[in-house]
Amino acid sequence: MKIIKIILALAAMGISAYGLITKDFSYGPVSSLLLGIFFALIAIEEFKTKGKNSWAMFFMPVSLIIIVMALFSF
């Protein structure tokens, strides 16, 4: 799970950096989708370790909103 989170974070940062450097923002939805999946993984991990009274209650709705908005922007 840790390796997947690192790969998702690096991919999202790489795509975002590419967009900022080249001024080509056509890959923005992909970056947002990766960020939403990253937040969902964080929420799942928080649910497993700390239960309902944790940051998972914040990360899960945020990740769902980000994923839905990224899918609508394709």
Side-chain angles (χ1 to χ4, degrees):
M1 183 83 90
K2 186 175 183 179
I3 294 173
I4 295 171
K5 287 192 319 185
I6 291 171
I7 291 171
L8 283 173
L10 289 176
M13 286 191 312
I15 292 170
S16 297
Y18 171 78
L20 287 173
I21 291 169
T22 62
K23 306 269 191 284
D24 178 22
F25 300 111
S26 61
Y27 295 110
V30 175
S31 177
S32 296
L33 184 65
L34 292 174
L35 183 67
I37 295 169
F38 177 70
F39 277 2
L41 288 177
I42 291 175
I44 291 168
E45 191 173 89
E46 286 285 320
F47 269 131
K48 285 182 181 178
T49 59
K50 297 179 183 172
K52 282 189 172 181
N53 295 330
S54 66
W55 279 98
M57 298 303 289
F58 171 73
F59 279 117
M60 191 52 75
V62 169
S63 70
L64 291 174
I65 290 170
I66 292 172
I67 290 170
V68 168
M69 296 312 278
L71 291 175
F72 277 122
S73 62
F74 275 116

Coordinates of all heavy atoms in Angstrom, one line a residue:
M1 N 0.8 -1.2 0.0 CA 0.0 0.0 0.0 C 0.9 1.3 0.0 O 0.5 2.2 -0.6 CB -0.9 0.0 1.2 CG -1.9 1.1 1.3 SD -3.4 0.9 0.3 CE -4.4 0.2 1.5
K2 N 2.0 1.2 0.7 CA 2.9 2.4 0.8 C 3.5 2.7 -0.6 O 3.6 3.8 -0.9 CB 3.9 2.1 1.9 CG 4.8 3.3 2.1 CD 5.8 3.0 3.3 CE 6.6 4.2 3.6 NZ 7.5 3.9 4.7
I3 N 3.9 1.6 -1.3 CA 4.5 1.8 -2.6 C 3.5 2.4 -3.6 O 3.8 3.3 -4.4 CB 5.1 0.5 -3.1 CG1 6.2 0.1 -2.2 CG2 5.6 0.7 -4.5 CD1 6.8 -1.3 -2.5
I4 N 2.3 2.0 -3.5 CA 1.2 2.5 -4.4 C 1.0 4.0 -4.1 O 0.8 4.8 -5.0 CB -0.1 1.7 -4.2 CG1 0.2 0.2 -4.7 CG2 -1.2 2.3 -5.0 CD1 -1.0 -0.7 -4.4
K5 N 0.9 4.3 -2.8 CA 0.7 5.7 -2.5 C 1.9 6.6 -3.0 O 1.7 7.7 -3.5 CB 0.6 5.9 -1.0 CG -0.7 5.4 -0.4 CD -1.0 5.8 1.0 CE 0.1 5.7 1.9 NZ -0.2 6.0 3.3
I6 N 3.1 6.1 -2.9 CA 4.3 6.9 -3.3 C 4.2 7.1 -4.8 O 4.5 8.2 -5.4 CB 5.6 6.2 -2.9 CG1 5.7 6.3 -1.4 CG2 6.8 6.8 -3.6 CD1 6.9 5.5 -0.8
I7 N 3.9 6.0 -5.6 CA 3.8 6.1 -7.0 C 2.7 7.0 -7.4 O 2.9 7.9 -8.4 CB 3.6 4.7 -7.6 CG1 4.8 3.8 -7.4 CG2 3.2 4.7 -9.1 CD1 4.6 2.4 -7.8
L8 N 1.5 7.0 -6.8 CA 0.4 7.9 -7.1 C 0.8 9.4 -6.9 O 0.5 10.2 -7.7 CB -0.8 7.5 -6.3 CG -1.6 6.3 -6.8 CD1 -2.7 6.0 -5.9 CD2 -2.2 6.6 -8.2
A9 N 1.5 9.6 -5.7 CA 1.9 11.0 -5.4 C 2.9 11.5 -6.4 O 2.8 12.6 -6.8 CB 2.4 11.0 -4.0
L10 N 3.9 10.7 -6.7 CA 4.9 11.1 -7.7 C 4.3 11.3 -9.0 O 4.7 12.3 -9.7 CB 6.1 10.1 -7.7 CG 6.9 10.1 -6.5 CD1 8.0 8.9 -6.6 CD2 7.6 11.4 -6.2
A11 N 3.4 10.5 -9.5 CA 2.8 10.6 -10.8 C 2.0 11.9 -10.8 O 2.0 12.7 -11.8 CB 1.9 9.4 -11.1
A12 N 1.2 12.2 -9.8 CA 0.4 13.4 -9.8 C 1.3 14.7 -9.8 O 1.0 15.6 -10.5 CB -0.5 13.4 -8.5
M13 N 2.3 14.6 -9.0 CA 3.3 15.8 -8.9 C 4.0 15.9 -10.3 O 4.2 17.1 -10.7 CB 4.3 15.6 -7.8 CG 3.7 15.8 -6.4 SD 4.9 16.0 -5.1 CE 6.0 14.6 -5.4
G14 N 4.4 14.8 -10.9 CA 5.0 14.9 -12.2 C 4.1 15.5 -13.3 O 4.6 16.3 -14.0
I15 N 2.9 15.0 -13.3 CA 2.0 15.5 -14.3 C 1.7 17.0 -14.1 O 1.6 17.8 -15.0 CB 0.7 14.7 -14.3 CG1 1.0 13.3 -14.9 CG2 -0.4 15.4 -15.2 CD1 -0.1 12.3 -14.7
S16 N 1.5 17.4 -12.8 CA 1.3 18.8 -12.5 C 2.5 19.7 -12.8 O 2.3 20.8 -13.4 CB 0.9 18.9 -11.0 OG -0.2 18.2 -10.7
A17 N 3.7 19.2 -12.5 CA 4.9 20.0 -12.8 C 5.0 20.1 -14.4 O 5.4 21.2 -14.8 CB 6.1 19.3 -12.3
Y18 N 4.7 19.0 -15.1 CA 4.8 19.1 -16.6 C 3.8 20.2 -17.1 O 4.2 21.0 -18.0 CB 4.4 17.8 -17.2 CG 4.3 17.8 -18.6 CD1 5.4 17.8 -19.5 CD2 3.0 17.8 -19.2 CE1 5.2 17.8 -20.9 CE2 2.8 17.8 -20.6 CZ 3.9 17.8 -21.4 OH 3.8 17.9 -22.8
G19 N 2.6 20.2 -16.5 CA 1.7 21.2 -17.0 C 2.1 22.6 -16.6 O 1.9 23.5 -17.4
L20 N 2.7 22.8 -15.5 CA 3.2 24.2 -15.1 C 4.4 24.6 -16.0 O 4.4 25.8 -16.3 CB 3.5 24.2 -13.6 CG 2.4 24.2 -12.7 CD1 2.9 24.1 -11.2 CD2 1.5 25.4 -12.8
I21 N 5.3 23.7 -16.3 CA 6.5 24.1 -17.0 C 6.1 24.3 -18.5 O 6.6 25.3 -19.1 CB 7.5 23.0 -16.9 CG1 8.1 22.9 -15.5 CG2 8.7 23.2 -17.9 CD1 8.9 21.7 -15.2
T22 N 5.3 23.5 -19.1 CA 5.0 23.6 -20.5 C 3.8 24.4 -20.8 O 3.5 24.7 -22.0 CB 4.8 22.2 -21.2 OG1 3.7 21.6 -20.5 CG2 6.1 21.4 -21.0
K23 N 3.0 24.8 -19.8 CA 1.8 25.6 -19.9 C 0.7 24.8 -20.7 O -0.1 25.3 -21.4 CB 2.0 26.9 -20.6 CG 3.0 27.8 -20.0 CD 2.4 28.7 -18.9 CE 3.3 29.8 -18.5 NZ 4.3 29.3 -17.6
D24 N 0.8 23.4 -20.7 CA -0.1 22.5 -21.3 C -0.9 21.8 -20.2 O -0.5 20.9 -19.6 CB 0.6 21.5 -22.1 CG -0.3 20.5 -22.8 OD1 -1.5 20.8 -23.0 OD2 0.2 19.4 -23.1
F25 N -2.1 22.3 -20.0 CA -3.0 21.8 -18.9 C -4.0 20.8 -19.4 O -5.0 20.6 -18.7 CB -3.7 23.0 -18.3 CG -2.7 24.0 -17.7 CD1 -2.6 25.3 -18.3 CD2 -1.9 23.7 -16.7 CE1 -1.7 26.2 -17.8 CE2 -1.1 24.7 -16.1 CZ -1.0 25.9 -16.7
S26 N -3.7 20.1 -20.5 CA -4.6 19.1 -21.0 C -4.6 17.8 -20.1 O -5.5 17.0 -20.2 CB -4.3 18.7 -22.4 OG -3.0 18.2 -22.5
Y27 N -3.5 17.6 -19.3 CA -3.4 16.5 -18.5 C -3.9 16.8 -17.0 O -3.7 16.0 -16.1 CB -2.0 15.9 -18.4 CG -1.5 15.4 -19.8 CD1 -0.6 16.1 -20.5 CD2 -2.1 14.3 -20.3 CE1 -0.2 15.7 -21.7 CE2 -1.7 13.8 -21.5 CZ -0.7 14.5 -22.2 OH -0.3 14.0 -23.5
G28 N -4.5 17.9 -16.8 CA -5.0 18.3 -15.5 C -6.0 17.3 -14.9 O -5.9 16.9 -13.7
P29 N -7.0 16.8 -15.7 CA -7.9 15.8 -15.1 C -7.3 14.5 -14.7 O -7.7 13.9 -13.7 CB -8.9 15.6 -16.3 CG -8.8 16.8 -17.1 CD -7.4 17.3 -17.0
V30 N -6.2 14.1 -15.4 CA -5.5 12.9 -15.0 C -4.8 13.1 -13.6 O -4.9 12.2 -12.8 CB -4.5 12.5 -16.1 CG1 -3.7 11.3 -15.6 CG2 -5.2 12.2 -17.4
S31 N -4.2 14.3 -13.5 CA -3.6 14.6 -12.2 C -4.6 14.6 -11.1 O -4.3 14.1 -10.0 CB -2.9 15.9 -12.3 OG -2.3 16.3 -11.1
S32 N -5.8 15.2 -11.3 CA -6.8 15.3 -10.3 C -7.3 13.9 -10.0 O -7.6 13.6 -8.8 CB -8.0 16.1 -10.8 OG -7.5 17.5 -11.0
L33 N -7.5 13.0 -11.0 CA -7.9 11.7 -10.7 C -6.9 10.9 -9.9 O -7.3 10.2 -8.9 CB -8.1 10.9 -12.1 CG -8.7 9.5 -12.0 CD1 -10.1 9.6 -11.4 CD2 -8.7 8.9 -13.3
L34 N -5.6 11.0 -10.2 CA -4.6 10.4 -9.3 C -4.6 10.9 -7.9 O -4.4 10.2 -7.0 CB -3.2 10.6 -10.0 CG -3.0 9.9 -11.3 CD1 -1.6 10.3 -11.9 CD2 -3.1 8.4 -11.1
L35 N -4.8 12.2 -7.8 CA -4.9 12.8 -6.4 C -6.1 12.3 -5.7 O -6.0 12.0 -4.5 CB -4.9 14.3 -6.5 CG -4.9 15.1 -5.2 CD1 -3.6 14.9 -4.5 CD2 -5.2 16.6 -5.5
G36 N -7.2 12.1 -6.3 CA -8.4 11.6 -5.7 C -8.2 10.1 -5.2 O -8.6 9.8 -4.1
I37 N -7.6 9.4 -6.1 CA -7.3 8.0 -5.7 C -6.3 7.9 -4.5 O -6.5 7.1 -3.6 CB -6.7 7.2 -6.9 CG1 -7.8 7.1 -8.0 CG2 -6.3 5.8 -6.5 CD1 -7.3 6.6 -9.3
F38 N -5.3 8.8 -4.5 CA -4.4 8.9 -3.4 C -5.1 9.2 -2.1 O -4.8 8.6 -1.1 CB -3.3 10.0 -3.8 CG -2.3 10.2 -2.7 CD1 -1.4 9.3 -2.4 CD2 -2.3 11.4 -2.0 CE1 -0.4 9.5 -1.4 CE2 -1.4 11.7 -1.0 CZ -0.5 10.7 -0.7
F39 N -6.0 10.2 -2.1 CA -6.8 10.5 -0.9 C -7.6 9.4 -0.5 O -7.8 9.2 0.7 CB -7.6 11.8 -1.2 CG -6.9 13.1 -1.0 CD1 -5.6 13.1 -0.7 CD2 -7.6 14.3 -1.2 CE1 -4.9 14.3 -0.6 CE2 -6.9 15.5 -1.0 CZ -5.6 15.5 -0.7
A40 N -8.2 8.6 -1.4 CA -9.0 7.5 -1.1 C -8.2 6.4 -0.4 O -8.7 5.8 0.6 CB -9.7 6.9 -2.3
L41 N -7.0 6.2 -0.8 CA -6.1 5.2 -0.2 C -5.7 5.7 1.2 O -5.7 4.9 2.2 CB -4.8 5.0 -1.0 CG -5.0 4.2 -2.3 CD1 -3.7 4.1 -3.1 CD2 -5.6 2.8 -2.0
I42 N -5.5 7.0 1.4 CA -5.2 7.5 2.7 C -6.4 7.3 3.7 O -6.3 6.9 4.8 CB -4.9 9.0 2.7 CG1 -3.5 9.1 2.0 CG2 -4.8 9.6 4.1 CD1 -3.1 10.6 1.8
A43 N -7.6 7.5 3.1 CA -8.9 7.3 3.9 C -9.0 5.9 4.3 O -9.4 5.6 5.5 CB -10.1 7.8 3.2
I44 N -8.8 5.0 3.4 CA -8.9 3.5 3.7 C -7.9 3.1 4.8 O -8.3 2.4 5.7 CB -8.8 2.7 2.4 CG1 -10.0 2.9 1.5 CG2 -8.6 1.2 2.7 CD1 -9.8 2.4 0.1
E45 N -6.7 3.6 4.6 CA -5.7 3.3 5.6 C -6.1 3.8 7.0 O -5.9 3.2 8.0 CB -4.4 3.8 5.2 CG -3.2 3.3 6.0 CD -1.9 3.8 5.4 OE1 -1.4 4.9 5.7 OE2 -1.4 3.1 4.5
E46 N -6.6 5.0 7.1 CA -7.0 5.6 8.3 C -8.2 4.9 9.0 O -8.3 4.7 10.2 CB -7.4 7.1 8.1 CG -6.3 8.0 7.9 CD -5.5 8.3 9.2 OE1 -6.2 8.5 10.3 OE2 -4.3 8.3 9.1
F47 N -9.2 4.4 8.1 CA -10.3 3.6 8.6 C -9.8 2.3 9.3 O -10.2 1.9 10.3 CB -11.3 3.2 7.5 CG -12.4 4.2 7.3 CD1 -12.7 4.7 6.1 CD2 -13.1 4.7 8.4 CE1 -13.7 5.6 5.9 CE2 -14.2 5.6 8.2 CZ -14.5 6.0 7.0
K48 N -8.8 1.7 8.6 CA -8.2 0.4 9.2 C -7.5 0.6 10.5 O -7.6 -0.2 11.4 CB -7.3 -0.2 8.1 CG -8.0 -0.8 7.0 CD -6.9 -1.4 6.0 CE -7.6 -2.1 4.8 NZ -6.6 -2.6 3.9
T49 N -6.8 1.7 10.6 CA -5.9 1.9 11.8 C -6.7 2.5 13.0 O -6.6 2.1 14.1 CB -4.7 2.7 11.5 OG1 -5.0 3.9 11.0 CG2 -3.8 1.9 10.5
K50 N -7.5 3.6 12.7 CA -8.0 4.4 13.8 C -9.5 4.4 13.9 O -10.1 4.9 14.8 CB -7.5 5.8 13.6 CG -6.1 6.0 13.8 CD -5.6 7.4 13.6 CE -4.1 7.5 13.7 NZ -3.6 8.8 13.3
G51 N -10.2 3.8 12.9 CA -11.6 3.7 13.0 C -12.3 5.0 12.5 O -11.8 5.8 11.7
K52 N -13.6 5.2 12.9 CA -14.4 6.3 12.3 C -14.0 7.6 12.9 O -14.1 8.6 12.2 CB -15.9 6.1 12.7 CG -16.6 5.1 11.8 CD -18.0 5.1 12.1 CE -18.8 4.2 11.1 NZ -20.2 4.3 11.3
N53 N -13.4 7.7 14.1 CA -13.1 9.0 14.6 C -11.6 9.4 14.2 O -10.7 9.4 15.0 CB -13.2 8.9 16.1 CG -14.6 8.7 16.6 OD1 -15.5 9.2 15.9 ND2 -14.8 8.1 17.7
S54 N -11.5 9.6 12.9 CA -10.1 9.9 12.5 C -10.3 10.9 11.2 O -11.4 11.3 10.9 CB -9.4 8.7 12.1 OG -10.0 8.0 11.0
W55 N -9.1 11.1 10.6 CA -9.2 11.9 9.4 C -9.8 11.3 8.2 O -10.1 11.9 7.2 CB -7.7 12.3 9.0 CG -7.2 13.4 9.8 CD1 -6.4 13.4 10.9 CD2 -7.4 14.8 9.6 NE1 -6.1 14.6 11.4 CE2 -6.7 15.5 10.6 CE3 -8.1 15.5 8.6 CZ2 -6.8 16.9 10.6 CZ3 -8.2 16.9 8.7 CH2 -7.5 17.6 9.7
A56 N -10.1 10.0 8.3 CA -10.8 9.3 7.3 C -12.2 9.9 6.9 O -12.6 9.9 5.8 CB -10.9 7.8 7.6
M57 N -12.8 10.4 7.9 CA -14.1 11.0 7.7 C -14.0 12.3 6.9 O -15.0 12.8 6.3 CB -14.8 11.3 9.0 CG -15.1 10.1 9.8 SD -16.1 8.8 9.0 CE -17.7 9.6 9.0
F58 N -12.8 12.9 6.8 CA -12.6 14.0 6.0 C -12.1 13.6 4.6 O -12.5 14.1 3.6 CB -11.5 14.9 6.6 CG -11.0 16.1 5.8 CD1 -11.8 17.1 5.5 CD2 -9.8 16.0 5.2 CE1 -11.4 18.2 4.7 CE2 -9.3 17.0 4.4 CZ -10.1 18.1 4.1
F59 N -11.2 12.7 4.5 CA -10.5 12.3 3.3 C -11.5 11.6 2.3 O -11.3 11.7 1.1 CB -9.3 11.4 3.5 CG -8.1 12.2 3.9 CD1 -7.4 12.1 5.1 CD2 -7.5 13.1 3.0 CE1 -6.3 12.8 5.5 CE2 -6.4 13.9 3.3 CZ -5.8 13.7 4.5
M60 N -12.4 10.8 2.8 CA -13.2 10.0 1.9 C -14.2 10.9 1.1 O -14.2 10.7 -0.1 CB -14.0 8.9 2.7 CG -14.7 8.0 1.9 SD -13.7 7.1 0.6 CE -12.8 6.0 1.6
P61 N -14.9 11.8 1.7 CA -15.8 12.7 0.9 C -15.0 13.6 -0.1 O -15.4 13.8 -1.2 CB -16.6 13.5 1.9 CG -16.4 12.9 3.2 CD -15.2 12.0 3.1
V62 N -13.8 14.0 0.4 CA -13.0 14.9 -0.4 C -12.5 14.1 -1.6 O -12.5 14.6 -2.8 CB -11.8 15.5 0.4 CG1 -10.8 16.1 -0.5 CG2 -12.3 16.5 1.4
S63 N -12.1 12.8 -1.4 CA -11.6 12.0 -2.5 C -12.7 11.7 -3.5 O -12.5 11.7 -4.7 CB -11.0 10.7 -2.0 OG -11.9 9.9 -1.5
L64 N -13.9 11.5 -3.0 CA -15.0 11.2 -3.9 C -15.3 12.4 -4.7 O -15.6 12.3 -5.9 CB -16.2 10.7 -3.1 CG -16.1 9.3 -2.5 CD1 -17.3 9.0 -1.6 CD2 -15.9 8.3 -3.5
I65 N -15.3 13.6 -4.1 CA -15.6 14.8 -4.9 C -14.5 15.0 -6.0 O -14.8 15.4 -7.1 CB -15.7 16.0 -3.9 CG1 -16.9 15.9 -3.1 CG2 -15.7 17.3 -4.7 CD1 -17.0 16.9 -1.9
I66 N -13.3 14.9 -5.6 CA -12.2 15.1 -6.6 C -12.3 14.1 -7.7 O -12.1 14.4 -8.9 CB -10.8 14.9 -5.9 CG1 -10.6 16.1 -4.9 CG2 -9.7 14.9 -6.9 CD1 -9.4 16.0 -4.1
I67 N -12.6 12.8 -7.4 CA -12.7 11.8 -8.5 C -13.9 12.1 -9.4 O -13.7 12.0 -10.6 CB -12.8 10.4 -7.9 CG1 -11.5 10.0 -7.2 CG2 -13.2 9.4 -8.9 CD1 -11.6 8.7 -6.4
V68 N -15.0 12.5 -8.8 CA -16.2 12.8 -9.7 C -15.9 14.0 -10.6 O -16.2 14.0 -11.8 CB -17.4 13.0 -8.8 CG1 -18.6 13.6 -9.6 CG2 -17.9 11.7 -8.2
M69 N -15.3 15.0 -10.0 CA -15.0 16.2 -10.8 C -14.0 15.9 -11.9 O -14.1 16.5 -13.0 CB -14.5 17.4 -9.9 CG -15.6 17.8 -8.9 SD -17.2 18.2 -9.6 CE -16.9 19.8 -10.3
A70 N -13.0 15.1 -11.6 CA -12.0 14.7 -12.6 C -12.7 13.9 -13.7 O -12.4 14.1 -14.9 CB -10.9 13.9 -12.0
L71 N -13.6 13.0 -13.4 CA -14.3 12.2 -14.4 C -15.2 13.1 -15.3 O -15.3 12.9 -16.5 CB -15.1 11.1 -13.8 CG -14.2 10.0 -13.1 CD1 -15.1 9.0 -12.5 CD2 -13.3 9.3 -14.2
F72 N -15.8 14.1 -14.7 CA -16.7 15.0 -15.5 C -15.8 15.9 -16.4 O -16.4 16.5 -17.4 CB -17.6 15.9 -14.6 CG -18.8 15.2 -14.2 CD1 -19.1 15.0 -12.8 CD2 -19.7 14.7 -15.1 CE1 -20.2 14.3 -12.4 CE2 -20.9 14.0 -14.7 CZ -21.1 13.9 -13.4
S73 N -14.6 16.2 -16.1 CA -13.8 17.1 -16.9 C -13.1 16.4 -18.0 O -12.4 17.1 -18.8 CB -12.8 17.8 -16.0 OG -11.9 16.9 -15.4
F74 N -13.2 15.1 -18.2 CA -12.6 14.4 -19.3 C -13.3 14.7 -20.6 O -14.3 14.8 -20.9 CB -12.6 12.9 -19.1 CG -11.4 12.4 -18.3 CD1 -11.6 11.8 -17.1 CD2 -10.1 12.6 -18.8 CE1 -10.5 11.4 -16.3 CE2 -9.0 12.2 -18.0 CZ -9.2 11.6 -16.8

